[in-house]
Amino acid sequence: MEGANLSGDLRDPAKSIPLGTLAAVSTAFLCYVLLIIGQGATITREALQFDMNVMEHVTAVNGWFVVTGVTAACLSTALGSMFGSARILQAIAKDNIFPHTGFFAEGTFKGDEPRRGVVLSSLIAQGGIFLGNLDDVAPILTNFFLCTYFLVNLAAFLLELGNCPNFRPRYLSLIHISEPTRLLSISYAVFCLKKK
């Protein structure tokens, strides 16, 4: 989703977003496969089954590589979400989709960066932090992300189904094969959410 949020900065988004998505997913898949093989070859079965912090225990420098990697991944995701949501808010305000959002339509003079949206996003993020317990925030965030991905996939599916003239993806195989699959899997995930 971060690639789609930044599509306005790309020269050819219709080409760059699918290629970037495939490259990112392929790279992550390769890293996970190498991690699985490496762990299977070097860590005992009991440690893999019962030690939840096994990665910290077996890496060099007393596990600081793992802590640093997790911290960097969390910061990257948080900043990407915060700036992506600010760009989406700016686009919504520019298109005047919701009334009284015109304040967020203006960006910086150079680059049209949505600073007002970033401030609002950071205030909302701070509100989530002030709740104090990540376990209280996680279900809310999970539901927002599930709804977002569901609606994006539903919109792409309906645009393809309706033969909308302004919807012309270059990678048709991604739409024809993966959209129904993703819609079904996300719908299944929504219905399988565990209630407290």
Side-chain angles (χ1 to χ4, degrees):
M1 293 299 289
E2 288 182 35
N5 294 339
L6 302 173
S7 64
D9 296 338
L10 299 172
R11 244 180 311 188
D12 188 5
K15 180 181 177 186
S16 300
I17 291 175
L19 286 177
T21 301
L22 289 174
V25 170
S26 301
T27 303
F29 179 75
L30 179 66
C31 289
Y32 283 127
V33 167
L34 291 175
L35 184 65
I36 290 168
I37 292 170
Q39 283 185 337
T42 58
I43 301 173
T44 65
R45 183 182 180 112
E46 291 77 24
L48 287 173
Q49 286 180 322
F50 302 112
D51 187 1
M52 293 299 178
N53 297 322
V54 69
M55 287 294 293
E56 284 187 64
H57 298 149
V58 299
T59 55
V61 197
N62 294 327
W64 281 104
F65 284 131
V66 173
V67 173
T68 304
V70 169
T71 303
C74 289
L75 285 173
S76 170
T77 302
L79 288 173
S81 295
M82 191 169 69
F83 287 106
S85 63
R87 285 178 180 267
I88 291 170
L89 178 61
Q90 184 183 33
I92 288 171
K94 281 184 177 181
D95 291 342
N96 202 20
I97 293 173
F98 295 112
H100 312 297
T101 57
F103 176 76
F104 297 104
E106 293 182 31
T108 59
F109 181 71
K110 184 177 180 182
D112 198 31
E113 296 296 326
R115 287 192 182 160
R116 295 173 180 178
V118 169
V119 170
L120 180 65
S121 296
S122 62
L123 289 174
I124 291 171
Q126 290 296 323
I129 291 170
F130 287 135
L131 286 176
N133 188 358
L134 189 58
D135 291 334
D136 293 339
V137 178
I140 298 168
L141 292 177
T142 301
N143 284 319
F144 274 124
F145 276 105
L146 280 173
C147 289
T148 300
Y149 293 139
F150 175 76
L151 291 173
V152 166
N153 285 312
L154 179 64
F157 178 72
L158 292 175
L159 286 170
E160 178 67 23
L161 187 68
N163 291 325
C164 190
N166 63 347
F167 185 68
R168 295 183 294 269
R170 292 190 183 171
Y171 286 87
L172 293 178
S173 62
L174 289 176
I175 299 300
H176 291 162
I177 295 170
S178 65
E179 290 303 325
T181 306
R182 283 190 276 171
L183 279 171
L184 287 173
S185 62
I186 290 173
S187 301
Y188 179 74
V190 169
F191 288 114
C192 291
L193 290 175
K194 184 177 179 183
K195 293 183 180 180
K196 286 187 177 183

